[in-house]
Amino acid sequence: MSLWDRLHRNAPRTEAENLARRAQQALAAGVEPRESEAVSECLADLWNGQAAALGAIDKAIIFRFLEGLNLLGWLPKYVLSVCPNDPAAPALRFQAVVKALDKAIGERQTELTSGASDNFEEPFSILTQAVHIVRRLRVWELQELCCDLLFQTDRAIVQARQRTRAEILADLRETLYLTLLALPPDRIPAFWARLKAPETCAEFWPVAARMQDKDAVPFLLDALPILPEDGQSALIAALRRIGDARAIPALQRIAGDPDSLLAPIAASALTEIMRRSGQDAAQLLRPSMAQARPNELLRAAGPTPDTNVRPDELLRADNAPKREKPTP
C-alpha cells in the first residue's frame, strides 16, 4: 500500500462518508433498505441539491452509498420530476425514488429495439445504472419492469450488428440477472410466470440456475416439471447448489426414470443434497403414500440416517402383494 493510500485510509471520515458507511452496514446486516433510517437519510441527499452539483462529487452522500455510480446527470433530475419536495417520511421518500427509477427505465426501453441511433452508450449506461440501483435498494416493485427489460435485452443482443452495442447490452443483461437474484423470491411473481411460460422460459432459466436462496426452492420445484430438458438441467443445478432437502422427492422421480437424459444429473444432485443435509434424510425418502410408485427410489430405514449413501444404493419400492405365512 502506497504512502498516499495509507494517509487517505487514516484520514478522518466526513459526515457523508459516515452516513454512507452506516447505510452499507445496515444492508450487510440484512436490513431491508426501505426500512433503514440510514438509507433514507442517504436518499434525502437527492433533494438537497448536493448530488446535482458537479463540484460536490466527493461530498455527495447518495453517490458514496451507491458505490460510485455517476448519478450527476439523471437521478436527481428524475427524482425531482416525480416529487419536487423531499417528503421527509422514509416510506414516502423511498417510493419517490421507486417512481423515479420506473420513469427513467421506462423512457429508455425503446432504445433497445431501435438500432438506428449511433448514440446508444449513454441511454444504455443509464439503464444499467438504474437497474443497479433497483438491485441495491431491493426494489421489488419494479420486478415486472426488470423482467420485460431482460426479455427485450436478450432479443436485442441477438439482433445487435455492432460489437460495442452487443457488449453494452451484455453488461445490461448481467446487471438484470444480478438484480433479479437479489430480490426476495416471494416478491417476484412476474419472474416465475415468465420462467414457466414456453415462449419466455429460455430467457429466464439462466437466472434461476444461479439462485442460492432457500426461499426459492418451492418456486423452483413448481417450475421444474414444466420446463424443457435444458431448463430442467439449469434448475437441478440450482437445487443442488442450494442443498435443500425439500428437493429430494422431485429429484428422486427424475433419477429413477431410466428414459430420462437428466437421470444422472438428478442422481448426482441427490448425492450432494444428502451429503450436505443431515436432517431426517431417511424419513424424506420414504414414500408418503402406502402404495409407492415403481420408479420411486427409497432408502432402507435405519436407526441412524446415513447421508453418505449413493443414489445407486437407493432401493426401489416392492409393490408385489405380500404372501401370507402358512398356518402351522
Side-chain angles (χ1 to χ4, degrees), residues 126-191:
I126 292 176
L127 266 177
T128 302
Q129 291 176 20
V131 173
H132 174 87
I133 299 170
V134 171
R135 173 192 175 197
R136 185 81 170 136
L137 298 179
R138 285 166 60 93
V139 183
W140 57 67
E141 292 90 339
L142 300 185
Q143 49 101 20
E144 188 163 5
L145 184 61
C146 287
C147 287
D148 291 341
L149 187 58
L150 175 56
F151 184 78
Q152 293 173 359
T153 302
D154 234 16
R155 297 299 172 91
I157 289 174
V158 175
Q159 299 169 2
R161 297 180 180 178
Q162 300 178 30
R163 180 177 177 181
T164 303
R165 188 185 187 94
E167 290 174 348
I168 291 174
L169 286 166
D171 287 342
L172 173 59
R173 180 174 64 181
E174 179 64 17
T175 304
L176 284 161
Y177 283 175
L178 295 174
T179 298
L180 289 168
L181 289 168
L183 300 179
D186 61 344
R187 296 283 190 170
I188 51 173
F191 170 81

Side-chain angles (χ1 to χ4, degrees), residues 226-299:
I226 300 173
L227 297 181
E229 286 188 338
D230 286 348
Q232 288 187 20
S233 177
L235 265 59
I236 290 171
L239 291 168
R240 172 179 180 149
R241 185 185 312 106
I242 295 170
D244 193 299
R246 288 174 293 178
I248 289 176
L251 295 175
Q252 279 182 311
R253 287 190 288 274
I254 299 172
D257 183 356
D259 298 324
S260 174
L261 296 176
L262 298 173
I265 301 173
S268 177
L270 269 172
T271 302
E272 179 64 17
I273 292 174
M274 290 180 190
R275 184 184 67 80
R276 291 170 54 188
S277 100
Q279 48 176 349
D280 298 323
Q283 293 182 6
L284 286 166
L285 289 171
R286 292 194 181 96
S288 58
M289 297 182 296
Q291 196 73 8
R293 289 182 289 273
N295 287 331
E296 188 165 8
L297 297 177
L298 311 174
R299 182 172 60 178

Side-chain angles (χ1 to χ4, degrees), residues 17-320:
E17 287 175 322
N18 284 327
L19 179 56
R21 183 179 177 84
R22 290 204 308 274
Q24 290 163 350
Q25 288 173 338
L27 298 192
V31 178
E32 277 294 337
R34 66 190 67 223
E35 298 173 1
S36 167
E37 196 172 312
V39 170
S40 181
E41 290 183 49
C42 284
L43 297 180
D45 197 53
L46 292 167
W47 279 272
N48 68 13
Q50 193 176 29
L54 288 173
I57 185 64
D58 288 333
K59 298 179 181 179
I61 299 173
I62 187 67
F63 180 87
R64 292 183 181 278
F65 169 60
L66 293 172
E67 300 175 341
L69 292 176
N70 180 12
L71 308 173
L72 300 179
W74 67 274
L75 184 55
K77 178 184 73 173
Y78 275 99
V79 168
L80 294 174
S81 72
V82 299
C83 184
N85 299 309
D86 180 6
L92 296 177
R93 190 179 283 158
F94 189 90
Q95 287 305 316
V97 174
V98 171
K99 289 179 182 178
L101 292 170
D102 188 8
K103 184 177 180 181
I105 294 172
E107 286 185 359
R108 283 164 175 77
Q109 276 187 289
T110 55
E111 296 287 339
L112 293 176
T113 55
S114 173
S117 174
D118 292 330
N119 183 25
F120 55 84
E121 293 191 25
E122 181 180 355
F124 285 178
S125 175
I126 292 176
L127 266 177
T128 302
Q129 291 176 20
V131 173
H132 174 87
I133 299 170
V134 171
R135 173 192 175 197
R136 185 81 170 136
L137 298 179
R138 285 166 60 93
V139 183
W140 57 67
E141 292 90 339
L142 300 185
Q143 49 101 20
E144 188 163 5
L145 184 61
C146 287
C147 287
D148 291 341
L149 187 58
L150 175 56
F151 184 78
Q152 293 173 359
T153 302
D154 234 16
R155 297 299 172 91
I157 289 174
V158 175
Q159 299 169 2
R161 297 180 180 178
Q162 300 178 30
R163 180 177 177 181
T164 303
R165 188 185 187 94
E167 290 174 348
I168 291 174
L169 286 166
D171 287 342
L172 173 59
R173 180 174 64 181
E174 179 64 17
T175 304
L176 284 161
Y177 283 175
L178 295 174
T179 298
L180 289 168
L181 289 168
L183 300 179
D186 61 344
R187 296 283 190 170
I188 51 173
F191 170 81
W192 299 114
R194 285 162 174 77
L195 177 64
K196 293 189 287 186
E199 63 275 12
T200 56
C201 61
E203 283 78 18
F204 290 88
W205 72 53
V207 180
R210 295 163 66 172
M211 288 189 167
Q212 302 183 47
D213 191 336
K214 287 195 173 186
D215 290 341
V217 170
F219 301 99
L220 294 170
L221 293 175
D222 184 49
L224 182 61
I226 300 173
L227 297 181
E229 286 188 338
D230 286 348
Q232 288 187 20
S233 177
L235 265 59
I236 290 171
L239 291 168
R240 172 179 180 149
R241 185 185 312 106
I242 295 170
D244 193 299
R246 288 174 293 178
I248 289 176
L251 295 175
Q252 279 182 311
R253 287 190 288 274
I254 299 172
D257 183 356
D259 298 324
S260 174
L261 296 176
L262 298 173
I265 301 173
S268 177
L270 269 172
T271 302
E272 179 64 17
I273 292 174
M274 290 180 190
R275 184 184 67 80
R276 291 170 54 188
S277 100
Q279 48 176 349
D280 298 323
Q283 293 182 6
L284 286 166
L285 289 171
R286 292 194 181 96
S288 58
M289 297 182 296
Q291 196 73 8
R293 289 182 289 273
N295 287 331
E296 188 165 8
L297 297 177
L298 311 174
R299 182 172 60 178
T304 304
D306 179 8
T307 57
N308 293 318
V309 65
R310 299 192 306 273
D312 56 2
E313 292 176 341
L314 297 174
L315 308 175
R316 296 192 184 278
D318 182 8
N319 289 326

